[in-house]
Amino acid sequence: MAGRGFRANIVLYGALLANVGIAIAKFVAAAITGSSSMLTEGVHSLVDSGNQLLLLYGQAKADRPPDAAHPFGYGRELYFWAFVVAILIFAVGAGVSIYEGWRHIASPEPLRDPTVNYAVLGIAMVLEGTSWAIAVREFNGTRGASGWWQSIRRSKDPAGFIVLFEDSAALVGLLVAGIGVWASHHYADPRIDGAASIAIGLILATVAVLLAREAKGLLIGESADKAIIAIVWRILEARPQVTAVNHVRTIHTAPDAVFVAISADFADDLPMGEAESLIEAMEAEMKAAVPELTSIYIRPEKQGDALVQPRPFNRANS
């Protein structure tokens, strides 16, 4: 898999810079005002910063070339670190937020001037909004005409949609924190600030579960997009020497690398030498049409030997 430069990782770098600055400001504001929701927001931003570092680390590890131990490369290591990120959001981000909120409700602290909190929340909104806008722009550039959720489910690159989820959760969390700070002072009840912290924790837990589900699917192996599979079928159907295809199976070995295994029935009168040349020609055509097909395996196999029902070609309609 080709290495990624700064431009390719602009979403992660943008989110990292924003979250580091926001985390420092939130912790300072929490120390000055004693706000529970501001403290949990600081933890939230700190966890997000760590997550971006883990994803950048995962991408660096995934970019290693194939070797004897990993002949298909290390691309799926990124999926492992994406799953780790989801666990961290759930265990650290959500866990600390809920605990801190419960502690603040059980032992309310005296209210202090919220001006610092409002200032930090405003700055955080601008920075998080900028990071979110970058993530949305980059994601829109890859999703085409598909809907948001459909594109997330189909995406094979977790870095983009993880930052999108994190920034969306961060913006909602900032809104909840702002309401919690305002309501605590308006009603002179610091327990409301603790309730806001618990609400932020529940938001993070929901995001973590969604991310874990998507990362799990990538980690255990997902097939290529239907459009890629359709191109492979068209190339096979265009060859008169191929009488039927038993199966076309694909799996992503990295966000931009696909392994495809094909079982096909060739014409009985096709000489072995011509069959080898035909397979080489089809592989070259497939790689030219779909650069993501980094590994192609075509196995000549009779229909009766296949484990699944073959798909014969109707040449008259092709």
Side-chain angles (χ1 to χ4, degrees):
M1 185 172 67
R4 295 168 180 253
F6 178 84
R7 182 66 181 84
N9 283 324
I10 189 171
V11 173
L12 287 175
Y13 286 119
L16 176 61
L17 292 174
N19 281 314
V20 169
I22 292 170
I24 294 173
K26 288 175 179 177
F27 282 129
V28 171
I32 294 174
T33 65
S35 170
S36 172
S37 60
M38 188 60 65
L39 178 61
T40 58
E41 273 295 302
V43 172
H44 178 185
S45 295
L46 188 63
V47 171
D48 284 352
S49 301
N51 291 342
Q52 273 96 57
L53 288 173
L54 284 177
L55 289 174
L56 288 169
Y57 174 78
Q59 286 186 343
K61 301 291 284 186
D63 283 343
R64 289 177 294 172
D67 53 30
H70 297 86
F72 295 107
Y74 292 81
R76 291 174 70 180
E77 184 161 348
L78 176 60
Y79 300 153
F80 166 76
W81 290 108
F83 190 78
V84 171
V85 164
I87 299 301
L88 284 176
I89 293 174
F90 185 86
V92 181
V96 171
S97 297
I98 293 173
Y99 169 77
E100 176 62 21
W102 172 82
R103 189 185 67 83
H104 205 73
I105 291 174
S107 302
E109 296 183 8
L111 297 174
R112 304 175 193 172
D113 186 0
T115 304
V116 175
N117 284 339
Y118 292 139
V120 170
L121 286 172
I123 295 172
M125 275 283 188
V126 173
L127 294 177
E128 290 285 7
T130 301
S131 175
W132 181 84
I134 294 173
V136 169
R137 184 186 63 190
E138 294 296 314
F139 191 74
N140 279 337
T142 59
R143 72 184 183 94
S146 302
W148 278 80
W149 184 244
Q150 181 185 14
S151 298
I152 290 172
R153 296 300 305 272
R154 290 170 53 187
S155 175
K156 310 303 179 185
D157 189 353
F161 66 75
I162 283 180
V163 172
L164 190 60
F165 269 103
E166 284 183 346
D167 287 347
S168 298
L171 289 173
V172 175
L174 288 170
L175 181 61
V176 172
I179 293 174
V181 170
W182 174 84
S184 294
H185 284 265
H186 183 76
Y187 295 104
D189 187 351
R191 292 175 300 177
I192 298 177
D193 193 40
S197 182
I198 292 176
I200 293 170
L202 294 176
I203 292 170
L204 291 176
T206 301
V207 169
V209 170
L210 292 174
L211 290 179
R213 186 178 69 174
E214 295 302 311
K216 184 198 74 172
L218 294 169
L219 189 59
I220 64 178
E222 287 188 358
S223 64
D225 189 81
K226 291 181 180 179
I228 292 178
I229 298 174
I231 292 174
V232 173
W233 274 100
R234 285 199 298 270
I235 292 173
L236 293 169
E237 291 175 341
R239 300 285 179 167
Q241 302 93 328
V242 179
T243 58
V245 174
N246 302 312
H247 63 70
V248 173
R249 294 172 181 163
T250 60
I251 188 171
H252 268 267
T253 58
D256 56 358
V258 176
F259 170 79
V260 57
I262 300 166
S263 169
D265 187 6
F266 288 16
D268 293 337
D269 59 352
L270 185 66
M272 179 63 70
E274 291 185 21
E276 292 176 353
S277 298
L278 175 63
I279 290 174
E280 291 177 359
M282 288 192 297
E283 289 179 352
E285 186 177 356
M286 289 176 187
K287 288 185 176 181
V290 185
E292 292 91 338
L293 298 180
T294 54
S295 299
I296 302 173
Y297 174 70
I298 302 177
R299 177 181 178 181
E301 188 174 34
K302 292 292 184 183
Q303 293 186 22
D305 298 333
L307 299 178
V308 295
Q309 183 67 30
R311 170 176 158 181
F313 299 141
N314 184 353
R315 299 292 179 188
N317 297 328
S318 48

